[in-house]
mmCIF file of all heavy atoms in Angstrom:
data_model
loop_
_atom_site.group_PDB
_atom_site.id
_atom_site.type_symbol
_atom_site.label_atom_id
_atom_site.label_comp_id
_atom_site.label_asym_id
_atom_site.label_seq_id
_atom_site.Cartn_x
_atom_site.Cartn_y
_atom_site.Cartn_z
ATOM 1 N N ALA Z 148 -110.619 -11.140 18.201
ATOM 2 C CA ALA Z 148 -110.692 -9.665 18.387
ATOM 3 C C ALA Z 148 -111.850 -9.011 17.620
ATOM 4 O O ALA Z 148 -112.531 -8.177 18.075
ATOM 5 C CB ALA Z 148 -109.367 -9.039 18.068
ATOM 6 N N GLY Z 149 -112.008 -9.502 16.399
ATOM 7 C CA GLY Z 149 -113.123 -9.026 15.606
ATOM 8 C C GLY Z 149 -114.497 -9.326 16.213
ATOM 9 O O GLY Z 149 -115.369 -8.456 16.239
ATOM 10 N N GLY Z 150 -114.622 -10.487 16.735
ATOM 11 C CA GLY Z 150 -115.841 -10.857 17.457
ATOM 12 C C GLY Z 150 -116.112 -9.997 18.697
ATOM 13 O O GLY Z 150 -117.209 -9.561 18.921
ATOM 14 N N PHE Z 151 -114.998 -9.732 19.418
ATOM 15 C CA PHE Z 151 -115.096 -8.889 20.603
ATOM 16 C C PHE Z 151 -115.525 -7.467 20.191
ATOM 17 O O PHE Z 151 -116.416 -6.903 20.817
ATOM 18 C CB PHE Z 151 -113.741 -8.863 21.297
ATOM 19 C CG PHE Z 151 -113.727 -7.962 22.518
ATOM 20 C CD1 PHE Z 151 -114.175 -8.447 23.731
ATOM 21 C CD2 PHE Z 151 -113.237 -6.676 22.434
ATOM 22 C CE1 PHE Z 151 -114.151 -7.618 24.845
ATOM 23 C CE2 PHE Z 151 -113.189 -5.844 23.520
ATOM 24 C CZ PHE Z 151 -113.649 -6.348 24.728
ATOM 25 N N ILE Z 152 -114.903 -6.919 19.171
ATOM 26 C CA ILE Z 152 -115.214 -5.604 18.712
ATOM 27 C C ILE Z 152 -116.653 -5.549 18.176
ATOM 28 O O ILE Z 152 -117.412 -4.605 18.495
ATOM 29 C CB ILE Z 152 -114.205 -5.142 17.598
ATOM 30 C CG1 ILE Z 152 -112.819 -4.980 18.183
ATOM 31 C CG2 ILE Z 152 -114.702 -3.834 16.936
ATOM 32 C CD1 ILE Z 152 -112.624 -3.860 19.151
ATOM 33 N N ALA Z 153 -117.075 -6.574 17.495
ATOM 34 C CA ALA Z 153 -118.446 -6.602 16.949
ATOM 35 C C ALA Z 153 -119.453 -6.597 18.071
ATOM 36 O O ALA Z 153 -120.485 -5.896 18.034
ATOM 37 C CB ALA Z 153 -118.641 -7.845 16.067
ATOM 38 N N THR Z 154 -119.187 -7.372 19.095
ATOM 39 C CA THR Z 154 -120.055 -7.425 20.289
ATOM 40 C C THR Z 154 -120.114 -6.044 20.922
ATOM 41 O O THR Z 154 -121.169 -5.550 21.302
ATOM 42 C CB THR Z 154 -119.596 -8.521 21.270
ATOM 43 O OG1 THR Z 154 -119.659 -9.756 20.627
ATOM 44 C CG2 THR Z 154 -120.467 -8.509 22.538
ATOM 45 N N GLY Z 155 -118.939 -5.439 21.065
ATOM 46 C CA GLY Z 155 -118.892 -4.069 21.660
ATOM 47 C C GLY Z 155 -119.672 -3.065 20.811
ATOM 48 O O GLY Z 155 -120.360 -2.177 21.377
ATOM 49 N N MET Z 156 -119.614 -3.218 19.500
ATOM 50 C CA MET Z 156 -120.348 -2.290 18.653
ATOM 51 C C MET Z 156 -121.876 -2.451 18.814
ATOM 52 O O MET Z 156 -122.604 -1.513 18.866
ATOM 53 C CB MET Z 156 -119.945 -2.445 17.191
ATOM 54 C CG MET Z 156 -118.549 -1.900 16.874
ATOM 55 S SD MET Z 156 -118.330 -0.175 17.353
ATOM 56 C CE MET Z 156 -119.692 0.595 16.550
ATOM 57 N N LEU Z 157 -122.285 -3.722 18.942
ATOM 58 C CA LEU Z 157 -123.700 -3.987 19.179
ATOM 59 C C LEU Z 157 -124.125 -3.395 20.500
ATOM 60 O O LEU Z 157 -125.179 -2.714 20.584
ATOM 61 C CB LEU Z 157 -124.006 -5.512 19.134
ATOM 62 C CG LEU Z 157 -125.404 -5.892 19.483
ATOM 63 C CD1 LEU Z 157 -126.416 -5.268 18.546
ATOM 64 C CD2 LEU Z 157 -125.542 -7.449 19.488
ATOM 65 N N LEU Z 158 -123.308 -3.559 21.520
ATOM 66 C CA LEU Z 158 -123.648 -2.969 22.824
ATOM 67 C C LEU Z 158 -123.643 -1.484 22.773
ATOM 68 O O LEU Z 158 -124.414 -0.796 23.487
ATOM 69 C CB LEU Z 158 -122.684 -3.537 23.913
ATOM 70 C CG LEU Z 158 -122.901 -4.992 24.259
ATOM 71 C CD1 LEU Z 158 -121.783 -5.510 25.140
ATOM 72 C CD2 LEU Z 158 -124.246 -5.236 24.884
#
Side-chain angles (χ1 to χ4, degrees):
F151 178 83
I152 294 291
T154 299
M156 288 306 305
L157 175 59
L158 290 171

